[in-house]
Amino acid sequence: MSRRDYLGEFEHIIVLALLRLEDRAYGVTVRQEIELRTQREVSIGAVYATLDRLETKGYVTSHRGEPTPERGGRSKRFFRVTAKGAAAVNRTHHALQRMTEGLGFTWSHA
Amino acid sequence: MEPRVTSQQNFVRPPSLAVWLLNLFALAERADSILGDLLEEFSLLASKSGVASARRWYWRQTIKTVPQLAGVGFRTAPWMTGAAVVGGFLLRKLVAPWVDPSIFAVLERYQVFEHHFSTYRFLASTGLDVGHFITFLCIGFIVAFAAREREMVATMSLGLIYGAIGVAGSVYIVTRTGDDATLWRLTWYFADSLAIVIAGAIVRTHRLAATSHSSNA
């Protein structure tokens, strides 16, 4: 099994954010969701760089929304997880679970 | 970019320099959504926490985002960007030996040495450096034109290569000869690197203006 079959840490977080946000997932909401849940400041550049990588791998797709005045006439780019992406997040999640089995880990906040 | 009205009915714009920097590095198809997202959050922050705080946030985002955008630019077209950088490097190799002889040929043609010695002294020292600066500027223009949409990544890479060569060469000379007076030449090496990057920024800004003009027409 190649290394590409698993998601990196930030890729994993981004895909989970997309799954949570469903059809409301675009740059602002993804960034805010991650900041809210992980308590770490994330740049929009890091979010887009990772989303571009995930799109290249076929794990997410994107489409443009309508331009809106509050965005200076610029459009949103909405993202959605593909079946391949959902399979990758599952695989990564199970691999992490298997690796932590027997270590006495409690899934509480550090 | 359209101004935004806050709850205080003031027009608030994000810092123009930060917006310009983001535009320099963002790919055209990504710039719209990235700048739109930042403006949306900036406007929200400005009305909630004040303009100064929103501007600080915008700058923080810009500083963290620019390297990411440069990385995406290179990753999405590594061969084209690499070819532009290598092409620029080879072009400089080809052109550089002609710069000094050309300047001296002009000085001799107009007999500057015989009639205006102080001018000759200036042109034979600082004039040569200016000649090299202009040469690097022209090479930067060519590299930026070749590296479509990745002007800044290509010109900054080439600038860094020349900067590194300048530093390595100067350190080598100083350690071999012990003559640390050559270190001042580093300022000119850095100026040459800066000329390449300036050319990249000029080409990119010109292209953005042309795109914006054609989309408004």
Side-chain angles (χ1 to χ4, degrees):
Chain A
M1 192 177 282
S2 82
R3 187 179 156 271
R4 279 174 181 265
D5 290 322
Y6 294 103
L7 297 170
E9 185 223 4
F10 198 57
E11 288 177 339
H12 197 176
I13 288 173
I14 292 257
V15 175
L16 290 174
L18 297 188
L19 289 170
R20 285 185 168 278
L21 292 162
E22 298 178 337
D23 55 354
R24 292 175 294 114
Y26 69 103
V28 173
T29 52
V30 172
R31 209 189 69 75
Q32 288 177 345
E33 182 75 10
I34 295 170
E35 280 198 355
L36 184 78
R37 293 188 176 274
T38 65
Q39 306 292 311
R40 80 186 206 197
E41 191 171 328
V42 178
S43 77
I44 199 80
V47 169
Y48 273 98
T50 309
L51 283 167
D52 276 334
R53 204 163 51 239
L54 289 168
E55 198 166 12
T56 308
K57 291 177 184 175
Y59 292 163
V60 305
T61 55
S62 70
H63 71 274
R64 288 171 79 119
E66 290 298 310
T68 55
E70 69 269 19
R71 294 168 58 87
R74 297 177 188 275
S75 54
K76 292 175 185 171
R77 192 166 152 219
F78 290 96
F79 294 88
R80 185 180 280 273
V81 180
T82 61
K84 192 179 171 189
V89 80
N90 249 323
R91 213 165 29 239
T92 308
H93 205 71
H94 284 126
L96 287 172
Q97 272 186 335
R98 282 194 298 274
M99 289 305 293
T100 50
E101 261 173 21
L103 292 177
F105 249 31
T106 51
W107 292 97
S108 60
H109 295 287
Chain B
M1 186 176 291
E2 293 301 313
R4 168 84 177 134
V5 182
T6 65
S7 54
Q8 292 85 28
Q9 294 299 306
N10 292 324
F11 290 112
V12 179
R13 288 171 188 272
S16 337
L17 183 61
V19 174
W20 178 69
L21 271 176
L22 289 163
N23 264 314
L24 283 186
F25 288 89
L27 298 176
E29 72 266 28
R30 308 280 190 275
D32 211 37
S33 39
I34 293 172
L35 288 167
D37 285 348
L38 284 172
L39 181 62
E40 189 182 324
E41 282 204 79
F42 171 81
S43 303
L44 200 73
L45 259 176
S47 56
K48 262 180 20 188
S49 321
V51 177
S53 167
R55 281 177 178 270
R56 277 198 302 276
W57 174 86
Y58 201 98
W59 267 114
R60 269 205 315 278
Q61 284 289 322
T62 302
I63 289 163
K64 287 180 183 174
T65 296
V66 162
Q68 302 277 357
L69 294 177
V72 169
F74 183 79
R75 214 170 44 237
T76 49
W79 289 107
M80 187 185 72
T81 314
V85 173
V86 172
F89 190 84
L90 294 176
L91 186 65
R92 162 71 175 77
K93 275 266 186 210
L94 199 73
V95 171
W98 297 94
V99 176
D100 294 3
S102 306
I103 291 171
F104 280 113
V106 171
L107 294 178
E108 271 189 36
R109 167 76 180 76
Y110 294 100
Q111 298 183 321
V112 179
F113 182 82
E114 287 82 1
H115 303 300
H116 308 282
F117 183 69
S118 59
T119 309
Y120 175 84
R121 206 170 53 183
F122 173 78
L123 289 173
S125 54
T126 310
L128 291 180
D129 292 328
V130 172
H132 281 280
F133 185 86
I134 292 168
T135 306
F136 274 95
L137 200 63
C138 292
I139 288 164
F141 282 132
I142 293 166
V143 170
F145 273 114
R148 295 185 66 82
E149 280 206 75
R150 280 105 181 148
E151 299 91 345
M152 293 310 293
V153 178
T155 52
M156 282 181 74
S157 304
L158 191 56
L160 282 173
I161 289 169
Y162 280 118
I165 290 173
V167 170
S170 300
V171 169
Y172 178 75
I173 291 169
V174 169
T175 50
R176 285 289 294 249
T177 64
D179 177 18
D180 56 7
T182 53
L183 282 177
W184 76 267
R185 296 288 309 169
L186 272 176
T187 53
W188 275 106
Y189 294 138
F190 291 142
D192 291 342
S193 295
L194 188 66
I196 295 174
V197 178
I198 288 171
I202 290 171
V203 172
R204 176 68 175 170
T205 307
H206 179 75
R207 273 186 177 149
L208 285 171
T211 311
S212 153
H213 186 260
S214 63
S215 62
N216 287 340

